[in-house]
Amino acid sequence: MFDYAFYWSMVWAKFPMLLDGAFLTIQITVLSVVLGLLAAIPLALWRRNGKGALALFASAWIESARNTPALFQIYMAYFGLGAVGLHLSSYTALLIAIVFNNAGYLAEVLRGGLEGVAPQQAPAARSLGMNAFQSFTYVIFPQLFRIIFFPFVNQVNWALLNTSLGMMIGLRELTGATQMAQAESFRTFEFFLVAAGMYYVIAKIISLGALTAAWRIFRD
Amino acid sequence: MQFSLTPYAGLQWSDLWFILEGGLSTILLSVVSGAAGTILGCALGWLRERSPVFSWLMAFPVDVIRSVPLIIQFILVNSLFSALGVPLDPLEVGLLTLSLYMGMQTSELVRAGIRAVPVQLQKAGRSLGMTGWQVERCITVPLVLRTMLPAWIGTLIGLTKDTALVSVVGYIELLRAAQIVITRSNEALLILLGVGLFYFVICYPISKYGRWLEQRI
Amino acid sequence: MIEIRNLHKSYGAQPVIRGIDLTITKGEVLCLIGASGSGKSTLLQCINGLEPIDSGQILVDGIEVHARGTNINQLRQKLGLVFQQYNAFPHLTALENVALAPRIVKGMSRAQARELAREHLAYVGLGDKVDAKPARLSGGQQQRLAIARALAMAPDYMLFGEVLDTIRKLKARGLTLIMVTHDIGFARESADRVAFFDQGHICEIGAARQVICEPREERTRQFLQRVLS
């Protein structure tokens, strides 16, 4: 049964390919989180305070992002849009889909934050003579930030995991690159074990960064 | 039998049936690995909270399984068993990996739930003459179940969506079936929208229910 | 001096203030009593502009509060507001709570603001709690924190809504105090004037002792009878 020999040297030979994939993975993760957050802000506000059409639009986006698989959203971006004539590259389709997905989840995180700050904090600050900008910067935002911090970091991790789906539409991020790299030698297990390790390292870097930031900002 | 859904030619009833079978596969995968994973996770989580040694041992595996993309986990399980000479078929790979994954997620929920039970309640039980076991059974367990139910529902929904990834080892679940039909018939948008609706119709009501439960608690 | 002329305000369709005329002179202590919903707390929030008005005028030292061109933030520095629900900023310590507005609104240096904060916290009896977060303070202590925070802006007028610990020594500082209170005893002993609010307008106003011990209006008498029994 155990007549399988593990050939790690083959992985090492193709390591640069994996590394390139890793960089692409990190790039897409960061970009999708930033863009997703930017989109999530208006979505969260519209869902809470918007009138009619805007609130409906926001709810539709948020609920479809959260109740359908990420892979489905990626296929929609890649195949679905292709069917109506908009042919996107794998990179663009993946990015758009993950941004769409992130925005939906982050909008809910923001909502939790907004609901977590007592509504009387703003008038309390204003009654001391602060203007709207000051009251937001010094009173509302610090409280908001503390509430959303860890859910936000979770979402960054989530985005990282979702980038691996790029393989399914041919993108050479880390998983896709690994797939290509192992195609010649068929050392599937070894290659993907290394890839798994790389994902683990990236995830650890993210949580380490988050903990450091948390320690510095939330000095209680 | 050939029945065209005009004005789009190329789509047949047999295709619809094929996709529906994929849907059933999705449901099968979700239900079985959901159940297996939950049982595994409850045992795991409870053991971790009651045995520091076990907790320390499990810390790394749990962490790894939660940090590595599911696609890679499927591929690893598949290739590992092939390499060992015991190849599994795609369904088995899917069930095994997803059950493990669900188990890890559930164990974290269970741990959080156990920690959320105030120590005073357990002390109150003991001072009434209850044994440790009775406290666990009558006080801790019901409270933990109540606390973790909404989150568990959320995890289950996540699992349902994750079944779409088993296609990477060749299992034909809903999304893969849809993709196959799309390649044949070129009706990407229609099929995809139908499939999306399927997932939505399953996940949205359940997640709303979960949120309603959360409010009640 | 605060002048209120023919003030009307509704919350949606519900009228809350139905025609109030009131003049408050500098240095006086005015207590507002009346049933809940009679408009007392709303009036205070209209005075510092946190609530909009439907018609009428409110003038603080000659400046119209609700006029378009008014610099409301500057005006609010003169009006200290302490409301039960306008609680402390939870993410800041007591000291930081009090020092924040003097620093960013008045432009004081950090050191100056902290010194000022220390003084005021000592004044309200929280001298030993300067580094505590509001979550660690009792309800009464949080309210005293809010008072210190408002005082640190050196207002000319202090508006109080249903405070738990009323601080009687504020009278000695020469501040004008306008307070909503259910504590009739306090109103009788410490106020200069008392205004009785009934359904959105002032039913009776006069010297504290007179309104409470020998009310002229029947409604005032009924209210006091109900409350004091």
Side-chain angles (χ1 to χ4, degrees), chain A residues 73-147:
Chain A
Q73 293 161 26
I74 292 172
Y75 281 177
M76 277 296 280
Y78 195 61
F79 297 115
L81 289 184
V84 295
L86 189 64
H87 295 281
L88 300 170
S89 68
S90 308
Y91 178 85
T92 316
L94 185 69
L95 191 60
I96 288 184
I98 299 189
V99 168
F100 177 79
N101 190 266
N102 278 344
Y105 282 93
L106 285 173
E108 286 296 285
V109 170
L110 288 179
R111 181 172 71 107
L114 288 172
E115 287 178 0
V117 180
Q120 304 91 5
Q121 288 290 305
R126 297 302 305 272
S127 67
L128 289 168
M130 295 188 212
N131 61 33
F133 177 74
Q134 289 171 325
S135 113
F136 181 76
T137 312
Y138 292 95
V139 175
I140 308 293
F141 182 73
Q143 298 182 53
L144 192 70
F145 188 74
R146 276 162 175 72
I147 298 176

Side-chain angles (χ1 to χ4, degrees), chain A:
Chain A
M1 186 163 142
F2 293 102
D3 56 354
Y4 183 87
F6 290 101
Y7 286 92
W8 300 104
S9 52
M10 307 202 106
V11 182
W12 188 244
K14 296 272 187 170
F15 194 67
M17 250 182 111
L18 298 187
L19 217 51
D20 282 337
F23 281 132
L24 190 58
T25 292
I26 295 176
Q27 181 194 66
I28 298 180
T29 305
V30 170
L31 207 54
S32 69
V33 167
V34 168
L35 292 176
L37 186 61
L38 287 177
I41 295 174
L43 283 180
L45 292 173
W46 287 337
R47 192 175 205 196
R48 244 163 85 87
N49 313 325
K51 341 156 255 233
L54 283 178
L56 201 62
F57 172 74
S59 291
W61 179 324
I62 294 172
E63 290 304 329
S64 45
R66 290 167 59 97
N67 290 296
T68 57
L71 188 57
F72 164 77
Q73 293 161 26
I74 292 172
Y75 281 177
M76 277 296 280
Y78 195 61
F79 297 115
L81 289 184
V84 295
L86 189 64
H87 295 281
L88 300 170
S89 68
S90 308
Y91 178 85
T92 316
L94 185 69
L95 191 60
I96 288 184
I98 299 189
V99 168
F100 177 79
N101 190 266
N102 278 344
Y105 282 93
L106 285 173
E108 286 296 285
V109 170
L110 288 179
R111 181 172 71 107
L114 288 172
E115 287 178 0
V117 180
Q120 304 91 5
Q121 288 290 305
R126 297 302 305 272
S127 67
L128 289 168
M130 295 188 212
N131 61 33
F133 177 74
Q134 289 171 325
S135 113
F136 181 76
T137 312
Y138 292 95
V139 175
I140 308 293
F141 182 73
Q143 298 182 53
L144 192 70
F145 188 74
R146 276 162 175 72
I147 298 176
I148 69 175
F149 185 72
F150 281 112
F152 177 75
V153 173
N154 254 340
Q155 191 55 34
V156 176
N157 259 310
W158 177 250
L160 173 68
L161 295 178
N162 276 337
T163 59
S164 66
L165 301 177
M167 176 185 99
M168 307 295 265
I169 56 172
L171 187 64
R172 309 236 194 127
E173 38 67 54
L174 183 49
T175 310
T178 312
Q179 174 73 356
M180 288 255 65
Q182 63 93 42
E184 297 173 4
S185 56
F186 287 107
R187 292 293 163 195
T188 317
F189 183 74
E190 290 92 320
F191 270 92
F192 278 99
L193 196 64
V194 171
M198 290 171 80
Y199 272 104
Y200 186 70
V201 167
I202 298 177
K204 280 300 139 204
I205 293 177
I206 292 178
S207 42
L208 219 68
L211 280 172
T212 318
W215 179 78
R216 289 187 60 197
I217 297 176
F218 303 153
R219 260 164 310 183
D220 248 73

Side-chain angles (χ1 to χ4, degrees), chain C residues 5-33:
Chain C
R5 299 181 191 155
N6 199 18
L7 189 67
H8 288 266
K9 179 188 170 57
S10 308
Y11 279 122
Q14 174 73 11
V16 168
I17 297 181
R18 312 175 206 218
I20 289 188
D21 291 274
L22 184 58
T23 306
I24 303 156
T25 54
K26 229 186 172 105
E28 81 161 299
V29 176
L30 173 68
C31 277
L32 311 178
I33 63 177

Side-chain angles (χ1 to χ4, degrees), chain C residues 113-142:
Chain C
R114 292 173 82 87
E115 202 35 57
L116 186 74
R118 244 177 258 276
E119 267 174 46
H120 281 94
L121 282 171
Y123 181 73
V124 300
L126 290 174
D128 57 339
K129 300 271 185 214
V130 289
D131 289 319
K133 286 258 173 82
R136 308 221 177 178
L137 302 176
S138 70
Q141 288 171 327
Q142 286 187 29

Side-chain angles (χ1 to χ4, degrees), chain B residues 42-170:
Chain B
C42 286
L44 215 60
W46 186 81
L47 274 173
R48 279 195 77 180
E49 277 304 296
R50 295 289 176 245
S51 161
V53 172
F54 189 74
S55 182
W56 179 79
L57 280 174
M58 289 305 300
F60 185 67
V62 173
D63 200 17
V64 167
I65 291 187
R66 296 178 76 209
S67 313
V68 172
L70 259 180
I71 289 195
I72 294 194
Q73 294 185 38
F74 287 130
I75 295 178
L76 280 177
V77 169
N78 196 28
S79 55
L80 178 65
F81 279 89
S82 301
L84 292 179
V86 192
L88 300 174
D89 70 57
L91 178 60
E92 290 169 334
V93 173
L95 285 175
L96 181 61
T97 315
L98 284 176
S99 301
L100 207 60
Y101 186 72
M102 181 70 179
M104 295 304 158
Q105 304 281 59
T106 308
S107 79
E108 289 300 293
L109 293 183
V110 169
R111 291 180 70 205
I114 292 182
R115 291 210 183 134
V117 177
V119 182
Q120 296 93 316
L121 287 182
Q122 296 168 334
K123 290 192 179 161
R126 295 308 300 271
S127 62
L128 286 169
M130 297 168 81
T131 67
W133 264 117
Q134 288 173 326
V135 167
E136 288 282 301
R137 204 163 44 93
C138 305
I139 299 179
T140 313
V141 167
L143 279 177
V144 170
L145 287 179
R146 270 191 57 188
T147 325
M148 64 175 252
L149 193 59
W152 177 80
I153 290 180
T155 310
L156 196 62
I157 293 181
L159 188 74
T160 309
K161 293 184 285 176
D162 288 333
T163 58
L165 275 51
V166 194
S167 54
V168 79
V169 289

